[in-house]
Amino acid sequence: CRTHINDGNTRDIACPFAGCVHRVSYEEVHHVVDQATWAKYEQFLLRATLNDDANVVWCPKPGCGMAMYVQGG
């Protein structure tokens, strides 16, 4: 899990056992990673979710990183 999370992959984490097709759930990730990795996972997941919303834009100021909801995209 940790390698996927460090790579920014929060939505498609596969079971690490050969031949297993199970996708690791949000709750399962929480149970198997340390606190620092969990915080990174949550941050990446939030950013990915906001990026999927056409009504969300990011502040253009360098270093800001705030998301803004714009009605009508």
Side-chain angles (χ1 to χ4, degrees):
C1 280
R2 192 172 309 145
T3 301
H4 287 281
I5 294 167
N6 287 331
D7 290 342
N9 177 9
T10 56
R11 296 191 176 169
D12 193 31
I13 301 175
C15 174
F17 293 105
C20 183
V21 296
H22 175 73
R23 296 292 176 222
V24 180
S25 71
Y26 180 86
E27 291 81 14
E28 291 167 328
V29 171
H30 193 199
H31 283 86
V32 299
V33 298
D34 59 57
Q35 190 62 33
T37 305
W38 177 250
K40 189 179 289 188
Y41 175 80
E42 290 257 273
Q43 183 181 33
F44 285 152
L45 185 60
L46 175 61
R47 182 169 284 278
T49 301
L50 291 173
N51 280 337
D52 287 346
D53 189 331
N55 294 315
V56 172
V57 296
W58 296 97
C59 177
K61 181 179 177 184
C64 178
M66 292 298 292
M68 299 174 282
Y69 183 80
V70 179
Q71 194 166 10

